[in-house]
PDB file of all heavy atoms in Angstrom:
ATOM      1  N   HIS A 257      55.017  -6.354  -5.031  1.00  0.00           N
ATOM      2  CA  HIS A 257      54.784  -7.783  -5.215  1.00  0.00           C
ATOM      3  C   HIS A 257      53.409  -7.992  -5.826  1.00  0.00           C
ATOM      4  O   HIS A 257      52.393  -7.707  -5.188  1.00  0.00           O
ATOM      5  CB  HIS A 257      54.887  -8.528  -3.884  1.00  0.00           C
ATOM      6  CG  HIS A 257      54.524  -9.978  -3.991  1.00  0.00           C
ATOM      7  ND1 HIS A 257      55.162 -10.829  -4.860  1.00  0.00           N
ATOM      8  CD2 HIS A 257      53.572 -10.714  -3.353  1.00  0.00           C
ATOM      9  CE1 HIS A 257      54.635 -12.040  -4.754  1.00  0.00           C
ATOM     10  NE2 HIS A 257      53.667 -12.000  -3.854  1.00  0.00           N
ATOM     11  N   LEU A 258      53.365  -8.464  -7.054  1.00  0.00           N
ATOM     12  CA  LEU A 258      52.106  -8.786  -7.718  1.00  0.00           C
ATOM     13  C   LEU A 258      51.731 -10.225  -7.385  1.00  0.00           C
ATOM     14  O   LEU A 258      52.446 -11.152  -7.754  1.00  0.00           O
ATOM     15  CB  LEU A 258      52.254  -8.644  -9.233  1.00  0.00           C
ATOM     16  CG  LEU A 258      52.403  -7.234  -9.825  1.00  0.00           C
ATOM     17  CD1 LEU A 258      52.634  -7.335 -11.329  1.00  0.00           C
ATOM     18  CD2 LEU A 258      51.182  -6.391  -9.531  1.00  0.00           C
ATOM     19  N   GLN A 278      51.842  -3.843 -31.095  1.00  0.00           N
ATOM     20  CA  GLN A 278      51.507  -4.825 -32.131  1.00  0.00           C
ATOM     21  C   GLN A 278      52.007  -6.230 -31.794  1.00  0.00           C
ATOM     22  O   GLN A 278      52.651  -6.899 -32.606  1.00  0.00           O
ATOM     23  CB  GLN A 278      52.049  -4.368 -33.492  1.00  0.00           C
ATOM     24  CG  GLN A 278      51.462  -3.035 -33.948  1.00  0.00           C
ATOM     25  CD  GLN A 278      52.003  -2.589 -35.294  1.00  0.00           C
ATOM     26  OE1 GLN A 278      53.173  -2.767 -35.593  1.00  0.00           O
ATOM     27  NE2 GLN A 278      51.139  -2.004 -36.105  1.00  0.00           N
ATOM     28  N   TYR A 282      50.420 -11.854 -24.151  1.00  0.00           N
ATOM     29  CA  TYR A 282      51.061 -11.236 -22.994  1.00  0.00           C
ATOM     30  C   TYR A 282      52.478 -11.755 -22.765  1.00  0.00           C
ATOM     31  O   TYR A 282      53.357 -11.010 -22.332  1.00  0.00           O
ATOM     32  CB  TYR A 282      50.210 -11.457 -21.737  1.00  0.00           C
ATOM     33  CG  TYR A 282      48.938 -10.651 -21.733  1.00  0.00           C
ATOM     34  CD1 TYR A 282      47.726 -11.229 -22.098  1.00  0.00           C
ATOM     35  CD2 TYR A 282      48.940  -9.309 -21.378  1.00  0.00           C
ATOM     36  CE1 TYR A 282      46.554 -10.484 -22.113  1.00  0.00           C
ATOM     37  CE2 TYR A 282      47.775  -8.553 -21.393  1.00  0.00           C
ATOM     38  CZ  TYR A 282      46.583  -9.152 -21.766  1.00  0.00           C
ATOM     39  OH  TYR A 282      45.433  -8.407 -21.777  1.00  0.00           O
ATOM     40  N   SER A 291      63.631  -6.801 -23.345  1.00  0.00           N
ATOM     41  CA  SER A 291      64.588  -6.656 -24.447  1.00  0.00           C
ATOM     42  C   SER A 291      65.088  -5.229 -24.543  1.00  0.00           C
ATOM     43  O   SER A 291      64.514  -4.307 -23.959  1.00  0.00           O
ATOM     44  CB  SER A 291      63.922  -7.053 -25.772  1.00  0.00           C
ATOM     45  OG  SER A 291      62.934  -6.095 -26.131  1.00  0.00           O
ATOM     46  N   VAL A 338      56.094  19.432   3.648  1.00  0.00           N
ATOM     47  CA  VAL A 338      55.379  18.159   3.577  1.00  0.00           C
ATOM     48  C   VAL A 338      55.814  17.402   2.333  1.00  0.00           C
ATOM     49  O   VAL A 338      55.972  17.982   1.256  1.00  0.00           O
ATOM     50  CB  VAL A 338      53.853  18.385   3.508  1.00  0.00           C
ATOM     51  CG1 VAL A 338      53.118  17.054   3.485  1.00  0.00           C
ATOM     52  CG2 VAL A 338      53.381  19.234   4.680  1.00  0.00           C
ATOM     53  N   CYS A 343      51.949  10.092  -4.664  1.00  0.00           N
ATOM     54  CA  CYS A 343      50.820  11.047  -4.692  1.00  0.00           C
ATOM     55  C   CYS A 343      49.782  10.738  -5.749  1.00  0.00           C
ATOM     56  O   CYS A 343      48.748  11.404  -5.814  1.00  0.00           O
ATOM     57  CB  CYS A 343      51.359  12.457  -4.897  1.00  0.00           C
ATOM     58  SG  CYS A 343      52.039  12.760  -6.559  1.00  0.00           S
ATOM     59  N   LEU A 356      46.515  23.434   4.363  1.00  0.00           N
ATOM     60  CA  LEU A 356      47.598  24.319   4.813  1.00  0.00           C
ATOM     61  C   LEU A 356      47.281  25.777   4.494  1.00  0.00           C
ATOM     62  O   LEU A 356      47.561  26.670   5.307  1.00  0.00           O
ATOM     63  CB  LEU A 356      48.918  23.906   4.163  1.00  0.00           C
ATOM     64  CG  LEU A 356      49.460  22.522   4.538  1.00  0.00           C
ATOM     65  CD1 LEU A 356      50.820  22.289   3.886  1.00  0.00           C
ATOM     66  CD2 LEU A 356      49.576  22.348   6.039  1.00  0.00           C
ATOM     67  N   GLN A 384      43.074  19.099 -12.952  1.00  0.00           N
ATOM     68  CA  GLN A 384      41.693  19.149 -13.431  1.00  0.00           C
ATOM     69  C   GLN A 384      41.022  17.794 -13.211  1.00  0.00           C
ATOM     70  O   GLN A 384      41.586  16.743 -13.556  1.00  0.00           O
ATOM     71  CB  GLN A 384      41.640  19.518 -14.908  1.00  0.00           C
ATOM     72  CG  GLN A 384      40.216  19.700 -15.434  1.00  0.00           C
ATOM     73  CD  GLN A 384      40.201  20.215 -16.864  1.00  0.00           C
ATOM     74  OE1 GLN A 384      41.210  20.198 -17.567  1.00  0.00           O
ATOM     75  NE2 GLN A 384      39.058  20.684 -17.308  1.00  0.00           N
ATOM     76  N   ASN A 429      61.212   7.124  -7.625  1.00  0.00           N
ATOM     77  CA  ASN A 429      61.035   5.703  -7.323  1.00  0.00           C
ATOM     78  C   ASN A 429      61.452   5.445  -5.882  1.00  0.00           C
ATOM     79  O   ASN A 429      62.632   5.589  -5.535  1.00  0.00           O
ATOM     80  CB  ASN A 429      61.875   4.857  -8.287  1.00  0.00           C
ATOM     81  CG  ASN A 429      61.609   3.366  -8.153  1.00  0.00           C
ATOM     82  OD1 ASN A 429      60.955   2.918  -7.206  1.00  0.00           O
ATOM     83  ND2 ASN A 429      62.117   2.596  -9.094  1.00  0.00           N
ATOM     84  N   PHE A 452      54.090  -3.884  -0.711  1.00  0.00           N
ATOM     85  CA  PHE A 452      55.464  -4.341  -0.561  1.00  0.00           C
ATOM     86  C   PHE A 452      55.532  -5.510   0.417  1.00  0.00           C
ATOM     87  O   PHE A 452      54.723  -5.587   1.349  1.00  0.00           O
ATOM     88  CB  PHE A 452      56.356  -3.215  -0.007  1.00  0.00           C
ATOM     89  CG  PHE A 452      56.415  -1.968  -0.861  1.00  0.00           C
ATOM     90  CD1 PHE A 452      56.577  -0.728  -0.266  1.00  0.00           C
ATOM     91  CD2 PHE A 452      56.323  -2.036  -2.236  1.00  0.00           C
ATOM     92  CE1 PHE A 452      56.655   0.425  -1.028  1.00  0.00           C
ATOM     93  CE2 PHE A 452      56.393  -0.894  -3.013  1.00  0.00           C
ATOM     94  CZ  PHE A 452      56.562   0.347  -2.406  1.00  0.00           C
ATOM     95  N   THR A 486      60.230  -0.575  11.397  1.00  0.00           N
ATOM     96  CA  THR A 486      61.265   0.315  11.923  1.00  0.00           C
ATOM     97  C   THR A 486      61.048   0.524  13.416  1.00  0.00           C
ATOM     98  O   THR A 486      59.910   0.511  13.886  1.00  0.00           O
ATOM     99  CB  THR A 486      61.255   1.679  11.208  1.00  0.00           C
ATOM    100  OG1 THR A 486      62.290   2.510  11.759  1.00  0.00           O
ATOM    101  CG2 THR A 486      59.922   2.386  11.365  1.00  0.00           C
TER     102      THR A 486
END
Side-chain angles (χ1 to χ4, degrees):
H257 174 57
L258 290 176
Q278 299 180 322
Y282 289 99
S291 69
V338 182
C343 70
L356 295 184
Q384 185 174 14
N429 187 349
F452 300 148
T486 180

